[in-house]
Amino acid sequence: MTTVSRADSFNIAAAQYAANRPSYPPALLEAVEEAAGRPLAGARVADVGAGTGISTALLHARGARVVAVEPGEGMALEFRQTLPAVPIVRGDGNALPLVDASLDLLTYAQSWHWTEPARSAPEAMRVLRPGGALALWWNTVALDVPWIAAQHERIARHVGVETGARQRPDEARATELSGLTALPGRGEVTLRHVRWSRHVPLDTHLANIGSHSAFLVLEEGDAQAFLTEERARVGELFPDGTVEETYVVELLVAIRT
């Protein structure tokens, strides 16, 4: 095992992350607008844990006045190459480098779980204006697709993590898991699920797996051995070399009162 932490591991693989990670469907941004009660166009938005800018680019394209917040140097460098016209500041969700009541929307795409909710949740309420919204979302694999569920189990065994329950949490449980249950200043919380798919080359599918933190901290030979075996398994399922990946985006939106 290397000495690189999971939180820091993305910085050494920023280009791989940018090239192979899935984006998000237009329906997700529409769900954010509906839950937040306002359009993204013209909204003052901060995208925290922006990484290489996958979600920031989508927010910017819909007309949001967005600033990115990213703690990692490698990710920030990749972001600047991809989105040179979008401002980015170094920082994290536990101590946001943003002024009080300055935002209409605060977003965390695949990044809220890297924060400490006891600190990041009050910080979110601090920087949101009254009526502003905190939006958290994650691309999760669709475990009702048999081959995806089987691969999910293999990955979990290889990296030594528990797969957990397959039933998705309801609104109350999702709020509890996110650390928002007892947050002062929080109003209504909305949970949405957005299902979507993408078709990618087998190489992209495997590189996406390898870009996850649990793989990035493995010894290189260990990770490559698994991916080589996975290439053979998935190649049998998709002999034309194009893999259909199916995701369910879990979206949680909390309104500041």
Side-chain angles (χ1 to χ4, degrees):
M1 186 74 70
T2 68
T3 59
V4 178
S5 73
R6 288 185 64 171
D8 293 332
S9 63
F10 297 118
N11 290 302
I12 62 175
Q16 178 184 353
Y17 188 106
N20 301 291
R21 280 294 184 100
S23 184
Y24 306 97
L28 170 65
L29 300 177
E30 293 162 7
V32 170
E33 290 179 321
E34 183 179 350
R38 65 153 298 151
L40 286 168
R44 295 168 296 171
V45 182
D47 188 29
V48 186
T52 61
I54 293 173
S55 61
T56 314
L58 299 177
L59 294 164
H60 178 67
R62 289 184 79 95
R65 294 182 288 166
V66 60
V67 59
V69 180
E70 169 56 40
E73 181 178 0
M75 289 296 217
L77 288 172
E78 190 72 28
F79 181 101
R80 290 189 182 100
Q81 293 181 33
T82 305
L83 297 169
V86 178
I88 181 171
V89 295
R90 299 290 297 279
D92 64 57
N94 295 325
L96 292 169
L98 304 167
V99 299
D100 294 359
S102 59
L103 299 175
D104 299 307
L105 179 66
L106 185 66
T107 63
Y108 286 79
Q110 311 287 138
S111 60
W112 181 257
H113 56 284
W114 295 114
T115 73
E116 301 170 29
R119 298 170 62 191
S120 57
E123 274 289 272
M125 296 299 104
R126 177 183 68 79
V127 302
L128 286 170
R129 65 166 179 79
L134 168 65
L136 321 175
W137 67 79
W138 293 266
N139 257 331
T140 67
V141 294
L143 295 177
D144 59 336
V145 179
W147 80 265
I148 292 177
Q151 183 181 74
H152 181 70
E153 294 285 347
R154 291 193 298 271
I155 291 172
R157 287 195 301 270
H158 191 79
V159 300
V161 300
E162 295 184 6
T163 56
R166 292 193 179 185
Q167 184 175 358
R168 297 188 182 278
D170 60 15
E171 202 163 86
R173 180 58 175 156
T175 302
E176 179 185 354
L177 290 171
S178 66
L180 299 179
T181 302
L183 178 62
R186 174 188 64 77
E188 179 183 358
V189 176
T190 302
L191 175 66
R192 302 284 177 83
H193 294 110
V194 180
R195 189 182 183 93
W196 71 288
S197 297
R198 69 170 187 166
H199 294 80
V200 296
L202 178 56
D203 285 345
T204 299
H205 174 73
L206 296 172
N208 174 31
I209 294 173
S211 74
H212 286 258
S213 60
F215 271 86
L216 293 173
V217 298
L218 294 176
E219 294 291 346
E220 183 176 356
D222 190 11
Q224 285 304 316
F226 177 87
L227 294 174
T228 297
E229 294 177 358
E230 207 61 22
R231 176 182 296 277
R233 292 190 185 101
V234 179
E236 291 182 359
L237 297 171
F238 299 95
D240 67 348
T242 299
V243 180
E244 181 180 12
E245 298 176 345
T246 304
Y247 297 93
V248 178
V249 186
E250 294 189 351
L251 167 67
L252 196 66
V253 178
I255 305 296
R256 181 190 169 187
T257 57

